[in-house]
Amino acid sequence: MQQAVVEDQLRGSEQNQLGQSAQHSASKHAIVVGESNLSIEDVLRVATENVPVALPSSAEWRDLIQRGADFLDQLLQEDGVIYGVTTGYGDSCLVAVSIEQAYELPLQLSRFHGCGLGQNLDVITARAVLVTRLCSLARGYSGVSMALLERLVWMLNENIIPVIPSEGSVGASGDLTPLSYIAGALVGERDVYLGDQVVPMAQVYAARGMQALQLRPKEGLALMNGTAVMTAMACLNYKKAQQIALASTLITALNVLALEGNPSHFDPVLFAQKPHPGQQHIAAQLRQWLNREDQTESQSPRLQDRYSLRCAPHIIGVFEDSQLWLRQFIENELNSSNDNPLIDPVNLRVLHGGHFYGGHIAQAMDSLKIMIANIADLMDRQLAQLVDHKMNHGLPRNLTGASTERLALNHGFKAVQIAVSAWTAEALKQTLAASIFSRSTECHNQDKVSMGTIAARDAQRVILLTEQVIAALCCASIQAIELRGLSQQLSPVLTQFKHWVLSSFTYLQEDRPLQHELQQLVDRLENLALLHSDPLNRAMQENANVC
């Protein structure tokens, strides 16, 4: 049955398919990988929107790629000693490999690293990994052939994506084990995602009448010895963190209204005295969305709100101010040649180093997960205020919308608050830095490693937990606004946000299970910026450009 599925989905000659993929029609707005730097957004477009990729058509770039491959061939003919080409790997670098065996060595590398376990990366993440690895290899300093680059482009454009286990990398010597699943797929020995199926890559090749790629010397090492998995995950995490920061600011504005808070806490003169641009930006958004640009109105009788309202710009602003360096770390890694050794196609040198080390991504992800967990904690504290009749300034217990006659039977958001507390606690627990847990491995050759992939996975988990917290706060905040009778008094941005929430959530009068509504909001959160609303889209753009 799987064979029939493959044959139905994949037809055409090898020559036609590879040619069309590598030189994709300009009318489809392909992202060209090889001469110009990619952005985080480029990776996301390829990963989430299936935007096609193409290789540069310039003779200069193609000559650069060819010179690197030719130089490796020259060294082999001259019986040169090249790490990972005519030697074993890692601690086995003193083991000589004959010229005859050099062509078999990459296949062996892909095979013995096929020991990954844990949950497989989803298709979006695996696509991000594939384009990230292509970006590094297409820089021209890895000694790979044009045929390898074209095959990677073909896989992306045909959406034939390797199934990659998430666990098994210490982040130096790169993401060896997970990236071996790309090499293994190329040679026809692993499984791939094909639509909603998982099928052996050998069947895909057979259905297309194509030959599996034969890896040239060093190409297995070039594919595997790098930081593509952690970097791809970092790109996805960064974008989701932006959505969380924006959603938490919108929710805070709603909760200031629902809790009869003090908009004067976000006064422009006040924030001018602490010149963190991102923090000031969050305060400015709150003023605008609360319709409080003019801060001359009288104070609430409570001079100072609790910290979870008053200090929201200071908490969310940490991420806002960190976006610049986070982006720099991630995009520099994305646009680097990070395998070892590098093959200099200009000066014809073999350069041995440690660019596979994922320290910058490890630091970025360890830091990001702390920032995002702090936002989860902020939201948790705001919800605690909303549901507690002792501090919610007249709102019903647990935000129940039940009638007086049904009040004794209904408990509103009581269980949701407990769940939010659990999700927040787990997010906070995940924030211990992975990068400090370096371990000596591989016979003490890899005696200091980055743990960058574990840090990225931790950040991914913290982000998901925080998205669940955000979903709960979306519902609770809109419920509180409705209970206050403020729905018709919201600013344009908050009105649009309210409608966005209400497309998945219905005002809670009688108790009901909220699981599916919460999950819908989690699933839709990544598309918050795609709302067809001029006010909210402007807000999104302001957030993206704050730094």
Side-chain angles (χ1 to χ4, degrees), residues 142-160:
S142 298
V144 301
S145 65
M146 189 67 68
L148 171 60
L149 299 177
E150 288 175 343
R151 189 64 62 96
L152 291 173
V153 169
W154 171 78
M155 291 179 75
L156 278 166
N157 290 344
E158 297 298 317
N159 205 23
I160 300 167

Side-chain angles (χ1 to χ4, degrees), residues 361-377:
I361 297 297
Q363 181 64 46
M365 293 298 98
D366 276 344
S367 299
L368 180 67
K369 66 190 183 187
I370 293 173
M371 299 173 202
I372 298 305
N374 261 311
I375 293 176
D377 199 32

Side-chain angles (χ1 to χ4, degrees), residues 2-74:
Q2 277 188 336
Q3 181 71 34
V5 170
V6 174
E7 289 175 353
D8 287 343
Q9 294 192 19
L10 299 176
R11 296 192 182 279
S13 70
E14 176 178 0
Q15 182 178 1
N16 287 341
Q17 292 299 326
L18 289 178
Q20 290 171 5
S21 295
Q23 302 294 332
H24 214 284
S25 170
S27 64
K28 294 191 176 181
H29 306 292
I31 292 174
V32 179
V33 183
E35 286 182 314
S36 301
N37 285 351
L38 296 188
S39 66
I40 290 172
E41 287 72 25
D42 289 331
V43 172
L44 291 170
R45 288 175 62 211
V46 173
T48 64
E49 302 172 33
N50 289 5
V51 171
V53 298
L55 298 174
S57 58
S58 72
E60 293 80 6
W61 177 81
R62 291 177 173 270
D63 182 59
L64 186 76
I65 297 297
Q66 191 62 48
R67 284 206 309 271
D70 289 346
F71 177 50
L72 267 179
D73 287 343
Q74 176 188 336

Side-chain angles (χ1 to χ4, degrees), residues 421-495:
S421 185
W423 299 327
T424 301
E426 186 177 346
L428 295 169
K429 181 178 74 70
Q430 293 285 114
T431 58
L432 183 62
S435 55
I436 65 173
F437 285 96
S438 173
R439 304 183 58 79
S440 183
T441 187
E442 204 260 304
C443 300
H444 300 292
N445 174 56
Q446 300 177 16
D447 59 348
K448 174 62 177 169
V449 293
S450 77
M451 297 297 182
T453 313
I454 296 174
R457 283 178 28 232
D458 283 350
Q460 185 180 59
R461 178 63 179 159
V462 169
I463 284 168
L464 177 58
L465 290 163
T466 304
E467 288 174 335
Q468 293 171 186
V469 171
I470 290 289
L473 265 293
C474 285
C475 300
S477 301
I478 295 301
Q479 177 90 355
I481 288 293
E482 181 68 25
L483 289 167
R484 283 280 188 215
L486 297 174
S487 287
Q488 305 307 314
Q489 303 174 34
L490 301 178
S491 65
V493 167
L494 294 184
T495 297

Side-chain angles (χ1 to χ4, degrees), residues 4 11 13 22 38 47 64-65 128 163 188 209 215 221-223 304 313 349 356 395 517 546-547:
R11 296 192 182 279
S13 70
L38 296 188
L64 186 76
I65 297 297
V163 176
L215 297 176
L221 191 60
L223 282 163
Q304 296 192 147
R349 301 166 61 206
F356 48 70
L395 287 167
E517 291 163 81
V546 64
C547 292

Side-chain angles (χ1 to χ4, degrees), residues 161 241 293 337 350 482:
I161 306 301
E293 288 292 354
S337 299
V350 178
E482 181 68 25

Side-chain angles (χ1 to χ4, degrees), residues 84-343:
V85 178
T86 58
T87 75
Y89 299 111
D91 183 62
S92 303
C93 63
L94 297 179
V95 177
V97 175
S98 68
I99 301 299
E100 294 75 21
Q101 292 177 319
Y103 289 86
E104 190 178 354
L105 189 61
L107 181 61
Q108 291 296 104
L109 178 67
S110 73
R111 285 173 172 168
F112 79 77
H113 269 287
C115 58
L117 292 176
Q119 185 174 358
N120 292 328
L121 301 182
D122 59 37
V123 175
I124 287 175
T125 305
R127 284 183 62 84
V129 172
L130 206 56
V131 70
T132 299
R133 198 75 211 120
L134 174 65
C135 181
S136 179
L137 299 181
R139 287 174 51 81
Y141 279 74
S142 298
V144 301
S145 65
M146 189 67 68
L148 171 60
L149 299 177
E150 288 175 343
R151 189 64 62 96
L152 291 173
V153 169
W154 171 78
M155 291 179 75
L156 278 166
N157 290 344
E158 297 298 317
N159 205 23
I160 300 167
I161 306 301
V163 176
I164 304 173
S166 61
E167 298 174 8
S169 172
V170 294
S173 175
D175 290 316
L176 288 167
T177 289
L179 288 177
S180 77
Y181 287 78
I182 296 178
L186 287 168
V187 301
E189 294 190 355
R190 302 283 169 87
D191 291 339
V192 293
Y193 293 111
L194 180 63
D196 58 358
Q197 304 265 342
V198 173
V199 299
M201 185 62 178
Q203 279 188 227
V204 178
Y205 280 143
R208 283 293 183 100
M210 294 174 62
Q211 295 295 317
L213 187 71
Q214 182 176 356
L215 297 176
R216 288 166 41 85
K218 192 185 177 291
E219 287 190 335
L221 191 60
L223 282 163
M224 295 165 52
N225 187 215
T227 59
V229 176
M230 67 180 82
T231 304
M233 293 177 72
C235 291
L236 297 170
N237 289 343
Y238 177 88
K239 183 55 65 175
K240 288 185 175 183
Q242 287 185 318
Q243 302 288 64
I244 286 170
L246 178 64
S248 63
T249 309
L250 290 161
I251 289 166
T252 296
L254 291 173
N255 289 340
V256 169
L257 295 172
L259 292 165
E260 299 180 338
N262 284 294
S264 61
H265 289 323
F266 314 121
D267 184 277
V269 176
L270 174 69
F271 274 86
Q273 308 316 307
K274 195 167 187 181
H276 296 298
Q279 178 179 283
Q280 291 174 332
H281 178 68
I282 298 297
Q285 284 186 319
L286 289 170
R287 288 196 304 272
Q288 178 186 354
W289 299 346
L290 291 168
N291 290 325
R292 293 296 191 273
E293 288 292 354
D294 179 6
Q295 295 291 331
T296 60
E297 80 281 355
S298 60
Q299 286 262 16
S300 163
R302 297 183 316 282
L303 292 179
Q304 296 192 147
D305 293 329
R306 292 178 176 86
Y307 288 10
S308 59
L309 291 182
R310 195 190 340 159
C311 299
H314 307 76
I315 297 163
I316 305 168
V318 173
F319 170 72
E320 289 292 312
D321 277 308
S322 298
Q323 286 191 61
L324 184 62
W325 73 262
L326 286 168
R327 177 181 287 276
Q328 182 185 61
F329 274 27
I330 295 167
E331 290 185 343
N332 282 349
E333 192 72 34
L334 170 65
N335 294 290
S336 68
S337 299
N338 47 66
D339 54 310
N340 174 62
L342 295 184
I343 306 301

